[in-house]
């Protein structure tokens, strides 16, 4: 048998079934009893890459928790990751083919057996990075994950993304002004090892605090800014329908449709907390909305329940004191688990900012959220059955911006076969986007002065 050489030629061997790997491991143990680590080499179950402008993630999923050490090299920029307890395998080589040409950070990757039980990955980079390397315990469908997040050395300002969108926009000047005068209490989301962009760095620490912001009506020309937050993404697929429809894909499509509608309004602009398939931690979604000084935050989701008969749309606001029902509590927990499944490097993100957000939730924010949520619910009720006839409340982490009215829309039940089918169609996605826009317009025309509280 050509591939019977087993561990001697792991680079060229085809994917071996588990049984043969175990036999190979057994014979290695007999030959090399003093290196028992070899016999326990971890198995790579899957390799995934999630390239995005904000950061690129590489995930190695394995049957054991493995330690990894990493360092960076300059001229040219490289990231070197040594994974202990691993031998080269076809799965590792699979990683090489999973690097996409349009990856903003990774040019290519090489894998080699650095020491008997250490695999070295060398990432050839397109630019300098602030790497985050961490492990995650099994959760949901996943076993152990080793996660490599490659962030740009200089953090990206969400306001700049807004400006990039605004090229040729008659409102570009106003948005630029907004960027230059953004309040210090809404910092640029960043991770350990990232520098802040020059605009933010140049601000003197003793700059007087910015003037309290008035409602959009009092700021002529400044557009109403809506932060649209498509739930889940990347490692976190969200709920999955019986036909395999993934919540993360549907909600991104709906958010993109809604953004187009909002941007076509003369006095409104939309900002997406994620614009493609990668994971954004819940508190980063909130930080981004605050950074762009959004007047409204709308998180977009699709519901799931054990019984496929459950159906209908629902709209949610934050509750500080318990959920409106046990089903509501269950739902909020499911949505808040996004960070566990999506995978957050605890400690790398600005935990202090996150904590401040949690402590500042206000009754005023919640009252405004209920107002806007009720309008949106009314409009959605015209195009889809409602799950509940009034706005519901639970402790969703993503609704905790203290100063931005925030709602979460469960557009429909992806676990209901009829609604799953509807969610897949562009016509129904467009109907949902139209309804949400109408709800937003109803709210701002009825309560212009409530658009933003201090
Ligand atoms: Zn969701």
């Amino acid at each position: 048998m050509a591939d019977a050489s087993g561990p001697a030629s792991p680079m060229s061997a085809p994917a071996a079934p588990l049984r043969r790997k175990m036999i190979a491991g057994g014979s290695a143990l007999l030959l090399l009893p003093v290196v028992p680590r070899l016999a326990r080499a971890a198995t790579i179950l899957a390799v995934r890459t999630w390239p995005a402008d904000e950061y690129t993630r590489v995930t190695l999923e394995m049957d054991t928790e493995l330690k990894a050490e990493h360092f960076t090299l300059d001229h040219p920029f490289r990231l070197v990751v040594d994974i202990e307890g691993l031998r080269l395998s076809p799965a590792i080589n699979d990683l090489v083919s999973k690097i996409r040409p349009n990856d903003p950070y990774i040019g290519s990757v090489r894998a080699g057996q650095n020491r008997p039980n250490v695999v070295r990955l060398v990432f050839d980079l397109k630019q300098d990075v602030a790497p985050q390397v961490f492990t995650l315990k099994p959760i949901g469908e996943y076993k152990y994950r080793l996660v490599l997040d490659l962030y740009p050395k200089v953090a990206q300002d969400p306001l700049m993304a807004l400006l990039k969108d605004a090229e040729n926009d008659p409102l570009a000047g106003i948005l630029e002004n907004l960027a230059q005068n953004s309040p210090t209490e809404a910092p640029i989301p960043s991770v350990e090892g990232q520098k802040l962009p020059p605009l933010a760095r140049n601000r003197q620490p003793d700059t007087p605090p910015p003037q309290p912001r008035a409602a959009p009506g009092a700021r002529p020309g400044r557009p109403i800014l809506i932060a649209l937050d498509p739930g889940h993404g990347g490692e976190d697929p969200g709920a999955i329908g019986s036909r395999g429809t993934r919540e993360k894909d549907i909600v991104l499509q709906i958010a993109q449709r809604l953004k187009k509608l909002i941007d076509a309004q003369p006095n409104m602009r939309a900002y997406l907390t994620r614009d493609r398939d990668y994971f954004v931690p819940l508190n980063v979604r909130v930080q981004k909305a605050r950074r762009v000084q959004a007047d409204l935050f709308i998180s977009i989701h699709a519901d799931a329940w054990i019984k496929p008969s459950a159906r209908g749309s629902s709209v949610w606001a934050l509750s500080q004191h318990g959920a409106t029902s046990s089903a509501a509590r269950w739902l909020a927990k499911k949505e808040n688990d996004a960070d566990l499944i999506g995978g957050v490097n605890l400690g790398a993100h600005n935990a202090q900012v996150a904590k401040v957000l949690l402590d500042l939730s206000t009754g005023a924010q919640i009252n405004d959220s209920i107002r806007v949520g009720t309008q949106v619910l009314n409009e959605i009720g015209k195009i889809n059955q409602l799950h509940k006839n009034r706005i519901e409340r639970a402790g969703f982490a993503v609704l905790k911006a203290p100063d931005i009215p925030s709602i979460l829309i469960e557009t429909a039940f992806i676990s209901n076969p009829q609604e799953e089918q509807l969610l897949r169609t562009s016509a129904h996605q467009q109907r949902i986007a139209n309804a949400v826009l109408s709800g937003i317009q109803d709210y701002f025309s009825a309560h212009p002065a409530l658009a933003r509280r201090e």
Side-chain angles (χ1 to χ4, degrees):
M1 277 166 66
D3 58 350
S5 50
S9 57
M11 297 281 281
S12 55
L18 188 61
R19 190 179 302 128
R20 192 185 311 135
K21 272 188 190 145
M22 288 168 71
I23 293 166
S27 60
L29 184 65
L30 289 176
L31 292 170
L32 302 159
V34 290
V35 198
R37 267 174 180 282
L38 275 179
R40 286 188 275 117
T43 302
I44 302 241
L45 304 171
V47 174
R48 294 179 289 272
T49 58
W50 307 103
D53 279 344
E54 198 168 313
Y55 74 104
T56 283
R57 169 169 290 186
V58 174
T59 308
L60 303 177
E61 192 181 346
M62 13 210 182
D63 58 355
T64 325
E65 186 164 28
L66 294 183
K67 263 201 303 192
E69 288 180 349
H70 70 279
F71 54 93
T72 53
L73 295 166
D74 298 347
H75 316 293
F77 293 121
R78 279 153 293 164
L79 168 67
V80 181
V81 182
D82 286 342
I83 309 170
E84 218 177 285
L86 199 59
R87 276 182 295 171
L88 278 178
S89 67
I92 282 266
N93 289 327
D94 204 25
L95 174 58
V96 177
S97 65
K98 290 210 168 148
I99 303 302
R100 299 176 212 176
N102 64 346
D103 190 309
Y105 301 101
I106 306 173
S108 58
V109 60
R110 291 168 280 145
Q113 193 75 52
N114 185 251
R115 276 164 278 159
N117 64 333
V118 175
V119 164
R120 170 167 287 185
L121 301 177
V122 180
F123 293 89
D124 298 303
L125 304 175
K126 294 177 179 170
Q127 57 172 288
D128 201 3
V129 297
Q132 309 290 323
V133 178
F134 56 101
T135 56
L136 297 166
K137 302 255 189 258
I139 175 105
E141 305 281 300
Y142 292 130
K143 304 287 185 195
Y144 293 92
R145 286 176 290 172
L146 174 64
V147 180
L148 319 172
D149 285 349
L150 283 70
Y151 282 85
K153 200 74 190 178
V154 178
Q156 286 173 356
D157 190 340
L159 278 163
M160 292 301 127
L162 197 63
L163 282 178
K164 212 166 64 186
D165 269 8
E167 260 176 64
N168 308 320
D169 187 325
L171 297 175
I174 295 161
L175 291 172
E176 192 151 356
N177 194 301
L178 192 70
Q180 271 153 14
N181 296 295
S182 76
T184 38
E185 73 268 16
I188 297 166
S190 60
V191 297
E192 234 170 62
Q194 273 189 312
K195 293 179 210 147
L196 293 181
L199 189 67
R201 207 168 42 221
N202 288 346
R203 163 168 276 156
Q204 297 302 312
D206 54 1
T207 305
Q211 292 303 302
R213 277 168 281 140
R219 282 175 294 177
R222 189 239 193 237
I224 294 170
L225 213 75
I226 319 284
L228 299 178
D229 176 53
H232 314 279
E235 292 275 292
D236 174 20
I240 299 178
S242 60
R243 291 184 59 190
T245 316
R246 300 179 303 187
E247 179 185 359
K248 67 173 180 178
D249 299 326
I250 297 294
V251 298
L252 179 58
Q253 288 159 11
I254 294 173
Q256 282 166 334
R257 288 176 190 281
L258 180 53
K259 175 172 167 37
K260 231 178 234 159
L261 291 178
I262 290 172
D263 287 347
Q265 307 302 311
N267 62 337
M268 276 189 197
R269 289 297 177 269
Y271 167 78
L272 291 175
T273 58
R274 80 171 169 94
D275 57 2
R276 58 185 299 170
D277 189 8
Y278 71 103
F279 183 73
V280 182
L282 296 174
N283 81 70
V284 174
R285 294 167 191 259
V286 178
Q287 287 179 40
K288 284 179 167 183
R290 297 191 79 219
R291 177 70 190 166
V292 300
Q293 301 177 54
D295 299 293
L296 182 58
F297 179 92
I298 301 184
S299 196
I300 302 172
H301 291 256
D303 217 333
W305 187 243
I306 338 151
K307 288 186 189 155
S309 56
R311 65 179 304 154
S313 312
S314 54
V315 177
W316 298 79
L318 181 66
S319 164
Q320 290 168 295
H321 318 286
T324 40
S325 68
S326 58
R329 225 176 355 260
W330 182 85
L331 179 68
K333 187 193 175 306
K334 185 172 71 78
E335 299 294 10
N336 291 344
D337 277 353
D339 273 357
L340 298 175
I341 294 160
V344 176
N345 186 15
L346 294 170
H349 289 277
N350 197 330
Q352 214 175 349
V353 173
K355 187 174 179 316
V356 167
L357 290 180
L358 298 188
D359 292 346
L360 283 181
S361 305
T362 62
Q365 187 264 58
I366 292 173
N367 287 339
D368 287 346
S369 304
I370 290 172
R371 286 191 184 96
V372 66
T374 302
Q375 303 278 19
V376 169
L377 191 74
N378 287 343
E379 294 293 337
I380 293 180
K382 296 175 187 170
I383 59 113
N384 201 39
Q385 188 180 319
L386 294 181
H387 187 63
K388 285 268 167 65
N389 280 322
R390 54 183 197 86
I391 190 163
E392 295 175 86
R393 298 177 57 186
F396 293 98
V398 84
L399 299 182
K400 288 186 174 174
D403 44 4
I404 307 173
S406 302
I407 57 170
L408 185 146
I409 304 173
E410 297 284 357
T411 49
F413 278 79
I414 208 166
S415 55
N416 176 296
Q418 287 91 42
E419 291 203 329
E420 178 187 16
Q421 181 50 35
L422 277 173
L423 285 172
R424 293 167 70 102
T425 67
S426 48
H428 193 69
Q429 290 183 3
Q430 198 61 40
R431 277 194 292 271
I432 294 171
N434 280 320
V436 177
L437 174 67
S438 299
I440 296 169
Q441 286 171 326
D442 295 346
Y443 167 73
F444 282 111
S445 55
H447 308 281
L450 294 173
R452 197 179 176 96
R453 300 259 188 182
E454 293 310 318

